[in-house]
Amino acid sequence: MNSDPKNITDAEWRKKLTPEQYHVLREAGTERAFTGQYDKHYDAGEYFCAGCGTQLFTSDAKYNSGCGWPAFTKPSDAEAVAEHRDESFGMIRTEVTCAKCDGHLGHVFPDGPPDQGGLRYCINSASLDFEGEDD
Ligand SMILES: [Zn+2]
């Protein structure tokens, strides 16, 4: 990626992403619970933004929340993600986006493991690309 991903046009995103990735990342969609490829995926490695390739999470912070989506206690770098108040669907939630390309990732909830900061970053698999340590 040579230019700022925030300048990528909608038409370019449609070409670059699969329909599911486009729906989640660019339309703030949510994949169906328990269907994502990284929901029950605990290999050691790093997770990258499926839109722009920025490294977002590591397997060290991933845990089994049972919620149906990949859950992390924290991003690998607080600067890598942006958080926004989201009042859609009659709920007050905190939306998590990729700071670099503004792609929608998921939401963060205050019901994570108390001994690891108490946060649950509930992230769509479709927003992520995984690279294992052994690859
Ligand atoms: Zn991104």
Side-chain angles (χ1 to χ4, degrees), residues 5 13 25-26 49-54 56 80 97-103 105:
W13 280 122
L25 285 164
R26 310 313 308 177
C49 173
C52 70
T54 299
L56 298 175
T97 59
C98 172
K100 187 145 189 202
C101 73
D102 288 338
L105 303 174

Side-chain angles (χ1 to χ4, degrees), residues 55-74:
Q55 203 242 326
L56 298 175
F57 297 95
T58 63
S59 55
D60 294 345
K62 194 170 190 303
Y63 74 103
N64 183 3
S65 69
C67 70
W69 293 274
F72 301 89
T73 53
K74 58 177 181 353

Side-chain angles (χ1 to χ4, degrees), residues 34-115:
F34 303 104
T35 63
Q37 63 175 325
Y38 300 128
D39 177 28
K40 297 206 170 9
H41 177 274
Y42 298 100
D43 293 351
E46 299 179 337
Y47 293 85
F48 299 84
C49 173
C52 70
T54 299
Q55 203 242 326
L56 298 175
F57 297 95
T58 63
S59 55
D60 294 345
K62 194 170 190 303
Y63 74 103
N64 183 3
S65 69
C67 70
W69 293 274
F72 301 89
T73 53
K74 58 177 181 353
S76 49
D77 180 345
E79 306 277 295
V81 300
E83 298 180 9
H84 316 268
R85 187 180 163 97
D86 172 9
E87 297 183 28
S88 62
F89 302 105
M91 294 178 274
I92 297 175
R93 297 179 295 173
T94 303
E95 181 193 12
V96 181
T97 59
C98 172
K100 187 145 189 202
C101 73
D102 288 338
H104 173 81
L105 303 174
H107 290 87
V108 58
F109 299 96
D111 59 5
D115 57 340

